[in-house]
Amino acid sequence: MSAKNIFDTIIKDGWSGVRRWKDTEAEESLHLEFKRQEDIKSSDLGDRDKGQLGKTLSGFANIEGGVLVFGVHAKDLGKKPDRVQSICPFDDAARFQAAVERNIPNLTDPPIGGVKVERIEDPDKPGTGVVAVHVPLSLGGPHRVINGPAEITDRYYMRTASQTVNMPHAVLASMFSRNAQPALQLVGRWTTGARQGTQLTALKLVLNLRNSGRGAARQPAIQVYQNELLSSNELIALVDADVPGWNVTAQQPYKNNPGFVTMRSDPRVIIYPGEDTPILPPRETSLKEIPAGAILRLKGIIYALDMQPISFDGEETYQDQLFNWDFALPKLSDPQD
């Protein structure tokens, strides 16, 4: 789901959606971050709040965009990413929203265009609520923080899977068009597997990483999330795959958060421009019965050392007994850009 879709969903769900974050211990992601204000009794933007806002603006705008929600406390419970622990609404959400809007142009250089700020109020306590900030991907960067504490000011940031970190030199140089970067895609094929009578009950899956960019991809990694048809059991079955140079682990679902498989390469793995590297050999995965019209989906994030994370989300509808799906995710309109 894109940052814009996440923001629209948050606004549409309103306060009931905010309450669900605590009930489900919602987790931060590549496109979503939660922050508790510096002074939970104040509706002003403190110095620490300005620094955190500037850092997040830089991190999201420099990568794929994202949503920051002020008024929500998330914490690392020993397992990344951070998960929501409590809701800390502002007594005057409109005042905090205005403070955010007023400060955004002065927090980064260059300023980031297209930022939207909305408040979500508690209907039982009019005026109180949280504030959501949508930061779009910027084509005018890279953006550095220019207003905040000394440890944040004059730094460039980027968003990773669930953290905002200092941008590595290689990525920063690439954004200034000095060095070529890799452009990784997940490529492969779903094909028909076992049947029970005329009903398809399994699929064969082959996965590769392809470098369509102009720079080498070092130590690549990928996370693939479960979905309605590709359940945690099927994902965990993929852990048995033995691919030299790759380590595969599985994370079970947690409350409303989906399970996922992480495939990490060792330091020797380098994917040069134009190359494909296998990460999963031909393998049949048993699935629940697949009815006509079922949607087969692959969703996740691709990483590599000193490369911006790339999210992908692709789907195909199963329509007949001759299902074959060749895919390349994310789709690159021009790999040379």
Side-chain angles (χ1 to χ4, degrees):
M1 184 180 292
S2 70
K4 180 62 164 56
N5 289 338
I6 291 173
F7 183 75
D8 290 343
T9 299
I10 289 173
I11 302 306
K12 179 181 177 182
D13 290 347
W15 192 252
S16 61
V18 173
R19 287 201 305 264
R20 281 198 300 272
W21 289 337
K22 181 179 182 298
D23 296 338
T24 62
E25 294 188 8
E27 64 180 31
E28 295 185 335
S29 68
L30 178 66
H31 299 109
L32 180 61
E33 183 173 3
F34 301 107
K35 288 295 179 187
R36 180 172 59 179
Q37 56 272 34
E38 180 179 7
D39 182 353
I40 62 174
K41 295 183 179 180
S42 172
S43 294
D44 290 321
L45 197 66
D47 290 340
R48 178 178 173 274
D49 297 327
K50 291 179 183 178
Q52 292 297 328
L53 177 58
K55 179 179 177 180
T56 302
L57 287 169
S58 170
F60 279 144
N62 285 336
I63 304 301
E64 293 191 355
V67 179
L68 169 65
V69 183
F70 268 113
V72 180
H73 174 46
K75 185 179 181 181
D76 175 10
L77 299 178
K79 294 182 178 179
K80 292 289 185 181
D82 291 357
R83 299 181 185 277
V84 172
Q85 302 302 301
S86 60
I87 308 300
C88 309
F90 299 97
D91 291 336
D92 189 342
R95 180 175 176 177
F96 192 85
Q97 177 187 3
V100 170
E101 292 173 331
R102 185 170 58 252
N103 279 274
I104 282 175
N106 306 314
L107 296 177
T108 63
D109 179 34
I112 301 164
V115 179
K116 293 184 179 180
V117 186
E118 297 285 350
R119 65 182 181 273
I120 305 167
E121 295 189 358
D122 182 349
D124 296 329
K125 299 178 181 179
T128 68
V130 302
V131 173
V133 183
H134 172 230
V135 186
L137 166 65
S138 173
L139 300 179
H143 301 270
R144 65 185 175 96
V145 180
I146 59 172
N147 191 345
E151 65 271 17
I152 294 177
T153 303
D154 289 328
R155 295 179 181 268
Y156 295 84
Y157 290 92
M158 63 182 286
R159 186 70 176 174
T160 62
S162 60
Q163 293 179 293
T164 302
V165 300
N166 287 317
M167 183 176 288
H169 173 78
V171 177
L172 183 59
S174 174
M175 295 190 75
F176 279 115
S177 301
R178 294 176 182 170
N179 291 333
Q181 269 212 303
L184 293 180
Q185 290 178 288
L186 178 67
V187 298
R189 165 176 282 199
W190 291 106
T191 60
T192 56
R195 299 178 183 276
Q196 193 171 64
T198 60
Q199 181 67 53
L200 177 66
T201 59
L203 293 177
K204 290 181 181 179
L205 175 62
V206 179
L207 293 179
N208 295 283
L209 277 182
R210 173 177 298 162
N211 187 356
S212 301
R214 294 179 293 177
R218 305 174 188 278
Q219 291 183 241
I222 181 171
Q223 281 185 349
V224 180
Y225 294 90
Q226 76 169 70
N227 56 62
E228 291 80 3
L229 288 174
L230 191 64
S231 70
S232 59
N233 289 333
E234 278 79 52
L235 280 173
I236 291 171
L238 302 182
V239 176
D240 295 333
D242 184 15
V243 181
W246 289 81
N247 178 41
V248 187
T249 58
Q251 174 67 53
Q252 291 278 13
Y254 180 82
K255 292 191 175 181
N256 287 351
N257 298 301
F260 57 86
V261 159
T262 302
M263 294 170 250
R264 292 187 177 90
S265 65
D266 65 34
R268 297 169 296 175
V269 175
I270 301 175
I271 309 177
Y272 292 99
E275 287 188 348
D276 281 15
T277 294
I279 58 176
L280 183 68
R283 183 175 184 81
E284 184 168 293
T285 302
S286 297
L287 302 172
K288 63 187 70 175
E289 290 189 357
I290 304 175
I295 295 177
L296 301 171
R297 190 172 191 180
L298 277 179
K299 178 181 180 181
I301 306 174
I302 302 173
Y303 310 87
L305 191 65
D306 294 332
M307 185 194 83
Q308 302 175 38
I310 301 173
S311 59
F312 62 88
D313 191 347
E315 61 184 35
E316 184 80 6
T317 302
Y318 172 65
Q319 297 177 335
D320 53 40
Q321 301 296 324
L322 299 175
F323 176 83
N324 287 284
W325 177 32
D326 293 298
F327 56 86
L329 302 169
K331 299 183 184 302
L332 303 179
S333 58
D334 186 353
Q336 300 305 310
D337 286 345

